[in-house]
Amino acid sequence: MRYEFRWGMLLEQPYFTWIVDAIATTLHLALLSWILALAIGIAVGVMRNTPSRALRFAGALYVEIFRNVPLLLQLFLWLYVFPELLPKHWQLYWNRLDDAPYWTAVIGLSLFTAARIAEQIRSAILAIPPGQFKAALSTGLTPFQMYRYVIVPYAVRIIIPAITSEFLTIFKNTALALTIGVAEISSVARKIEAWSFKGIEAYTVASATYVCTTIAVIVLMGWVEKRAYIPGLIKREKSDA
Amino acid sequence: MTQPIVAIRNVCLDYGGFRALDGVSLDVNVGSRIVICGPSGSGKSTLLRCVNGLEPFQSGEVFVDGVGVRTCKDLPKLRLGVGMVFQHFELYPHLSVLDNVTLAPMKAKGLSRREAEEKARHYLDRVGILDQADKFPARLSGGQQQRAAIARALTLEPKVMMFDEPTSALDPEMIGEVLKVMRDLARDGMTMLVVTHEMGFAREVADEIVFMDKGRIVEHSGVSAFFAAPKTARAREFLDRILLKI
């Protein structure tokens, strides 16, 4: 038996529209989840370093729950169990939502990734000299302002390389959303294969999508890293210093 | 008699069994320049941190301009009145020198960027590094960094300036430029509380010397009296060691 390649069929309907829509879904699912994950991750990471025991405990609890349960299982829990816990009229609203699986994926991906980012933020904050906190407070900044203007910007710069990895991971983790019915690129590749028996072509498109977006992210983050680079910190200085 | 700008009253601080401060009392009057010296671990730096509420203490009270630190509901506001300079400068490495200096005036004092920059440039000029304003801290020499840190504190126009071993992390060559800035400040009548081992500076600039050991003020006297004849054996021993390096 010989496999006959038919790359041209990727440009035929309905496959072409499916692919374009799926790539778009993958991108905004990842980007939206990423923005939420960063925001939540920074907040939780800061909580884990505050003097308040209650906040530290809450932060630790969050991290341990969300990073110790497999993402796949978390998606199932959000899809099947979470709506059951909602009050009645919210439940009705949620069930009537057309793209409930999409929003489920956003919640699942962002909360899972946030736990990982929180750990990185926490370790970055621990690496900041204690004098920075004292200096910021001594100039009359409130603790919130201290984190907002000094500690978090400093911490994020320290962990840009690690954050880049998380950014790449969230793109690839969107593939898991196919299990809860989101039409992202992996699930559409599977569907194309089922319809046309052209698995190699379909999965090649899916793989290429991930590779291209992640390379774009690497380039982007390289640029961000250069812009946010703190002179005299992290990177070894060349002889110009 | 006017009220002291900083009044330290019987402050005690325990670090889990270790008595870092043991009943310290000290008045800092407006315009006075007090140098605190003593062996390491004697509680000098800890005392400074108690004054602006960076270090919680168990008993006693510190009043800054009449406001008690322990009972203070608005510590950020109290701290605006107390400038602090650290041994390791503690400039924010991700901000330019100018942004380092304007951050607190804008965020804590609510000045506009224009007002804050105007003030910042004035004080950067005063410490002699206006030409470095747009550089990042790591591009500056240690002496320049410490002067930037002094400008950062001065721009808030505090009533008291506290210096916590401001020259201890500097090369001998750079110590001079920082001491010069401090000397100029003293001449302009700034109230200063300085922890330092620079006895030359103390002799020249201070009007009172406080000698601390094991969390207590062992000796508190005028400069000439202290250097001529320390009253306690502990202070005499310390002076011998630090002046003669024996």
Side-chain angles (χ1 to χ4, degrees), chain B residues 26 34 56 67 82 94 102 104 113-114 118 122 149 153-154 163 178 197 202-203 207 232:
Chain B
L26 181 67
I34 300 181
V67 180
V82 187
H94 60 290
T102 55
R113 175 172 291 276
R114 207 177 51 81
E118 204 171 298
H122 170 78
L154 286 176
F163 295 83
V178 171
H197 296 298
R203 201 191 287 249
D207 35 38
T232 56

Side-chain angles (χ1 to χ4, degrees), chain B residues 52-116:
Chain B
N52 63 359
L54 286 177
E55 193 86 60
F57 45 94
Q58 282 87 17
S59 69
E61 182 58 296
V62 175
F63 297 93
V64 175
D65 213 6
V67 180
V69 170
R70 268 175 91 195
T71 50
C72 184
K73 290 275 176 294
D74 191 359
L75 272 177
K77 188 168 167 238
L78 180 143
R79 287 170 181 147
L80 284 176
V82 187
M84 188 157 185
V85 174
F86 299 83
Q87 182 176 354
H88 296 289
F89 332 134
E90 306 301 353
L91 295 169
Y92 316 129
H94 60 290
L95 298 178
S96 72
V97 167
L98 186 66
D99 290 339
N100 262 277
V101 179
T102 55
L103 181 64
M106 281 163 58
K107 304 304 172 190
K109 255 190 159 176
L111 299 189
S112 71
R113 175 172 291 276
R114 207 177 51 81
E115 290 170 306

